[in-house]
Amino acid sequence: SPMGAETPEAILIAAGFHIYTAPVGTPIPVDIDAALDGDFTDVGYTTDDGAVFTHTPTVNPITMHQSFQPVRYVVASVEDTLSFVLGQWDEDTIPLAFGGGEWTATANGWMFEPVDPGTIDERCVVADAVDGDVHWRICMPRVMQQGASSSTLTKSGAAGLACTLGAMAVGAGEKPWSLLTDSPYVNAGS
């Protein structure tokens, strides 16, 4: 493995970054250079803050009377999210940010109406990061918008649409997310 204790080339700077969504059930890539299915839509601009991929296990301690420290820990749940701020307001990004909804024509334009409370707008998401010749791809086959969608409307700045996509269970034996790369600093087979 070319990996050393301190390898600046192994630092990921996601200079090129795109997020794509598609309906649940759309085939997810299983290799870094696989083309995305035609059902995926690029969400367009995201703000300069980038995206945050978070893996959060909830661990419960098991305590006993005879010990002041836990004697075991049990993983109670795991939350995996991809959070970002959409930079564009359009027919695809607004339903994504608000967890679904419908556009209808009006006499002079369009009207968006959100889904009823309790309606789940499931999607799959792929996030591609490019750093020079190295590619990284986060694939989440089943997600929903679970965060607060907020926007600050000002006279001098772009109004973004906050989005937090949370992974859901996919099915028996399937993982809620995968990470693909062609990085020379990952050599898991050696």
Side-chain angles (χ1 to χ4, degrees):
S1 170
M3 187 66 155
E6 295 174 353
T7 307
E9 297 82 8
I11 297 169
L12 173 60
I13 299 170
F17 187 72
H18 291 274
I19 298 172
Y20 307 89
T21 64
V24 167
T26 302
I28 292 283
V30 294
D31 203 354
I32 191 64
D33 60 355
L36 290 178
D37 186 273
D39 284 339
F40 277 95
T41 301
D42 189 333
V43 302
Y45 283 119
T46 54
T47 61
D48 229 5
D49 302 330
V52 178
F53 180 64
T54 307
H55 174 78
T56 309
T58 299
V59 180
N60 293 337
I62 305 297
T63 58
M64 295 292 147
H65 183 82
Q66 292 80 6
S67 177
F68 287 100
Q69 290 79 28
V71 295
R72 284 185 65 185
Y73 288 95
V74 176
V75 177
S77 64
V78 177
E79 182 178 39
D80 299 304
T81 60
L82 181 67
S83 300
F84 50 92
V85 178
L86 297 159
Q88 295 178 203
W89 290 56
D90 61 38
E91 67 181 308
D92 296 321
T93 60
I94 291 172
L96 175 62
F98 290 101
E102 295 290 325
W103 287 101
T104 54
T106 64
N108 297 305
W110 299 93
M111 178 175 60
F112 175 78
E113 293 183 304
V115 295
D116 292 330
T119 301
I120 305 295
D121 179 38
E122 295 184 18
R123 299 168 185 247
C124 59
V125 66
V126 171
D128 283 344
V130 179
D131 185 358
D133 294 333
V134 178
H135 303 85
W136 291 86
R137 178 175 270 178
I138 300 167
C139 301
M140 301 171 80
R142 188 169 172 235
V143 300
M144 67 169 282
Q145 160 65 322
Q146 67 176 35
S149 188
S150 61
S151 269
T152 302
L153 306 170
T154 68
K155 66 179 180 178
S156 61
L161 290 164
C163 202
T164 299
L165 301 179
M168 297 187 291
V170 181
E174 296 185 53
K175 303 292 184 188
W177 60 272
S178 59
L179 179 64
L180 304 170
T181 187
D182 56 8
S183 171
Y185 300 100
V186 175
N187 190 358
S190 62

